[in-house]
Amino acid sequence: MEREMVIVIDFGGQYNQLVARRVRECNVYCEIYSYKTDLEAIRSMNPKGIILTGGPNSCYEPDAPTYTKELFELGIPVLGLCYGAQLMQHILGGRVERAEVREYGKTEVFVDTASRLFSNVSPSTICWMSHFDYISKTAPGFTITAHTADCPAAACENEYKHLYAIQFHPEVFHTKEGTKMIRNFVRDICGCAGDWKMDSFVEQSIREIRKTVGDGKVICGLSGGVDSSVVAVLLSKAIGSQLTCVFVDHGLLRKDEGDAVEAVFGEKGNYDLNFVRVNAKDRFYVKLAGVTEPEEKRNIIGKEFAAVFRDKFHELYPSNEKNAPVDFLAQGTIYPDVVESGLGGESGKIKSHHNTILVQGEDYNHLVEPLRYLFKDEVRKVGLELGLPEELVMRQPFPGPGLGIRIVGDVTEEKVRIVQEADAIYRSVIAEAGLSREINQYFAALTNMRSVGVMGDERTYDYAVVLRAVKTVDFMTAESADIPFEVLQTVMSRIINEVKGVNRVFYDLTSKPPGTIEFE
Ligand code: XMP
């Protein structure tokens, strides 16, 4: 049976991978092709729908990326997004002009819910706009189906010819009902049945990895967390012994975590992986000594990771010329890392995520990041699909820079010990209380505050530990979890009694935003 497919034609916009991700979310298989792919090739793939993406150009400029008019005459439904929408109008006889002001950000859009594209969408809905040019006159046969205060044709369509144009970006998560619109397009307008599942993602990724890597050597940063474990197992399925997984123990892991990771992935573990553990604690502590600024700490840890990888790679493959580039670096970057590092679109940088720092200025020929456009929940689905054990797949996230960003201020061995012990107690009490599944992420962190206390008639001047626990779906927004007070009290008294150097315990009530989940 032929697989139904939607094709995304890429005009160079920033969100193009996301478009494909949204289509897949509707259980419809999707591939991305450059606008340079000719019409015959597209036709031979027999797509059920075509989506034209955004892009940085102005379609009326002479060298702007374009496509043959015949694309719109195939009888296949076409959805143009932003640049794609303007291009469709331009080619079919409408007019696109430069607006006086750029429309940018979350914008209220008024849609005609009689349009099949906007079926079940609220008549007034928040969408993500990012454009200078606008459609000043729609092409013959098109009717306007949405507008904003500044944009007269925020969407238009020729229903008879199955052609749809949207000025905003339904693929960006700020467009509240964007997935609904894409679903309306692929499922209702294109008539896709929606029977594509995550196993197809695995299959497709394995094919792509083999194609990209060829017979090159890949070094994979494995931390034992969900994302990198999924990448390691996916890669090992794709390229077997060409892969080496390097687990860097930077001395900033949770208590006993290094040994736990080795037990799962090392020689005695369940996977047939080239697994190498590097105990690099001293290197990291020396570099971090006295550093207090959060971004600087993140950068130091990321750079040191890269250095450890590089050293290890040359040690493992001595036949490579000294300082010759590593062929490929694989890592478990996922979409929120990209977005929050300010690389995934036009939202500003919040904090530099570890994975994105690690590769800056490095000499890896290529990055292999198969999960780059997946959200955490999807990564977990892939993990289960690959047969990883549920307790590993459902693990809460642990940041690459580890306890380095859970210790506010400078990092010392003594502070690492305190936070490791406090965190282990917190985790065990939460587990005993049967709450671990309800809370998506919880951990202890160390404030840089010391204060006066009294213990056994003696004055103390010790650190304050802060407990964090959040409920979240996508880790982009989060609420503080309402842990029963008795449970918090148990954690508090055990930490004060058992962890030397702590005389206060706080519970963090802040949601995200305005807080972030981690402290730095
Ligand atoms: P924030 O603190 O940005 O955290 O609200 C959101 C989620 O991302 C995790 N996190 C990281 N994960 N590298 C990672 O792999 C990092 O540099 C990093 N910083 C934060 C954090 O634990 C939470 O789940």
Side-chain angles (χ1 to χ4, degrees), residues 298 340 351 353-354 397 399-401 441 475 512 516-518:
R298 282 176 170 269
E340 296 205 339
K351 49 180 83 168
H353 278 243
H354 184 67
Q441 191 171 9
F475 296 88
K512 172 184 179 178
T516 54
I517 295 175
E518 302 291 346

Side-chain angles (χ1 to χ4, degrees), residues 223 225 227 250 252-254 257 298 301 305 337 351 353-355 376 396-406 441 443 517-520:
S223 69
D227 309 332
H250 49 14
L252 301 165
L253 297 169
R254 285 169 287 201
E257 190 164 27
R298 282 176 170 269
I301 299 170
F305 245 95
D337 304 341
K351 49 180 83 168
H353 278 243
H354 184 67
N355 295 341
K376 199 85 185 179
Q396 52 175 306
F398 184 68
L403 303 182
I405 56 167
R406 291 183 180 172
Q441 191 171 9
F443 54 87
I517 295 175
E518 302 291 346
F519 285 80
E520 293 199 323

Side-chain angles (χ1 to χ4, degrees), residues 5-272:
M5 158 154 90
V6 165
I7 283 181
V8 172
I9 300 187
D10 183 351
F11 288 93
Q14 303 175 64
Y15 308 127
N16 301 346
Q17 301 277 351
L18 255 193
V19 177
R21 185 231 173 291
R22 294 278 176 253
V23 173
R24 296 194 311 243
E25 224 172 59
C26 304
N27 298 109
V28 172
Y29 182 67
C30 180
E31 285 183 7
I32 303 177
Y33 289 92
S34 156
Y35 69 92
K36 293 175 187 148
T37 312
D38 66 37
L39 186 69
E40 233 3 87
I42 299 278
R43 200 207 309 259
S44 68
M45 289 184 256
N46 197 19
K48 293 204 83 164
I50 295 169
I51 300 180
L52 313 180
T53 73
N57 301 76
S58 287
C59 61
Y60 45 77
E61 280 170 356
D63 296 329
T66 186
Y67 212 87
T68 164
K69 192 177 176 186
E70 289 161 64
L71 179 76
F72 304 104
E73 292 159 4
L74 297 172
I76 301 171
V78 182
L79 171 64
L81 306 178
C82 196
Y83 182 81
Q86 295 165 2
L87 186 69
M88 178 193 288
Q89 294 305 297
H90 177 72
I91 293 174
L92 297 176
R95 197 166 55 232
V96 176
E97 291 178 85
R98 174 136 293 215
E100 271 170 27
V101 279
R102 183 179 186 205
E103 199 178 23
Y104 180 78
K106 290 183 192 169
T107 308
E108 187 175 20
V109 177
F110 302 94
V111 305
D112 177 356
T113 54
S115 160
R116 290 169 80 192
L117 194 60
F118 299 126
S119 167
N120 290 321
V121 171
S122 322
S124 151
T125 184
I126 297 297
C127 300
W128 185 255
M129 283 286 190
S130 173
H131 64 116
F132 250 127
D133 290 342
Y134 75 110
I135 299 162
S136 56
K137 183 169 147 268
T138 55
F142 278 77
T143 49
I144 292 177
T145 52
H147 67 276
T148 71
D150 294 316
C151 180
C156 60
E157 66 187 42
N158 181 336
E159 195 190 355
Y160 175 67
K161 293 198 167 162
H162 317 298
L163 304 178
Y164 297 81
I166 309 185
Q167 180 56 74
F168 52 87
H169 289 275
E171 69 278 23
V172 171
F173 72 99
H174 301 302
T175 299
K176 291 224 158 29
E177 298 180 89
T179 303
K180 216 185 264 179
M181 298 169 196
I182 291 180
R183 173 178 291 267
N184 285 342
F185 179 70
V186 297
R187 301 284 287 269
D188 181 28
I189 296 169
C190 303
C192 293
D195 46 16
W196 183 76
K197 303 245 160 46
M198 260 316 168
D199 54 350
S200 329
F201 173 85
V202 170
E203 214 182 278
Q204 172 77 8
S205 301
I206 289 178
R207 267 205 308 274
E208 276 167 20
I209 292 165
R210 285 189 184 140
K211 201 163 110 197
T212 314
V213 169
D215 55 6
K217 295 273 190 290
V218 182
I219 193 163
C220 172
L222 174 62
S223 69
V226 184
D227 309 332
S228 63
S229 301
V230 168
V231 167
V233 175
L234 189 63
L235 272 148
S236 122
K237 288 212 171 182
I239 53 164
S241 61
Q242 286 162 257
L243 172 72
T244 302
C245 294
V246 176
F247 166 55
V248 179
D249 185 341
H250 49 14
L252 301 165
L253 297 169
R254 285 169 287 201
K255 196 175 177 191
D256 302 327
E257 190 164 27
D259 297 339
V261 172
E262 191 170 348
V264 175
F265 292 104
E267 238 169 61
K268 296 191 186 128
N270 305 328
Y271 299 94
D272 186 18

Side-chain angles (χ1 to χ4, degrees), residues 371-435:
L371 311 179
R372 194 176 169 89
Y373 295 96
L374 298 192
F375 289 86
K376 199 85 185 179
D377 55 317
E378 294 182 305
V379 175
R380 295 197 208 276
K381 282 188 202 151
V382 175
L384 292 175
E385 199 58 54
L386 285 166
L388 268 77
E390 196 173 329
E391 64 277 12
L392 199 160
V393 169
M394 299 319 287
R395 277 186 85 173
Q396 52 175 306
F398 184 68
L403 303 182
I405 56 167
R406 291 183 180 172
I407 293 170
V408 179
D410 68 325
V411 176
T412 63
E413 201 155 355
E414 165 72 351
K415 289 183 184 175
V416 172
R417 177 196 58 80
I418 292 177
V419 79
Q420 277 179 337
E421 287 180 13
D423 183 68
I425 291 171
Y426 186 28
R427 280 189 288 141
S428 83
V429 175
I430 291 285
E432 278 160 25
L435 296 172

Side-chain angles (χ1 to χ4, degrees), residues 349-361:
K349 173 157 134 185
I350 297 165
K351 49 180 83 168
S352 303
H353 278 243
H354 184 67
N355 295 341
T356 61
I357 296 175
L358 214 142
V359 296
Q360 282 162 17

Side-chain angles (χ1 to χ4, degrees), residues 268-279:
K268 296 191 186 128
N270 305 328
Y271 299 94
D272 186 18
L273 289 176
N274 297 326
F275 175 88
V276 182
R277 174 172 176 175
V278 187
N279 292 317

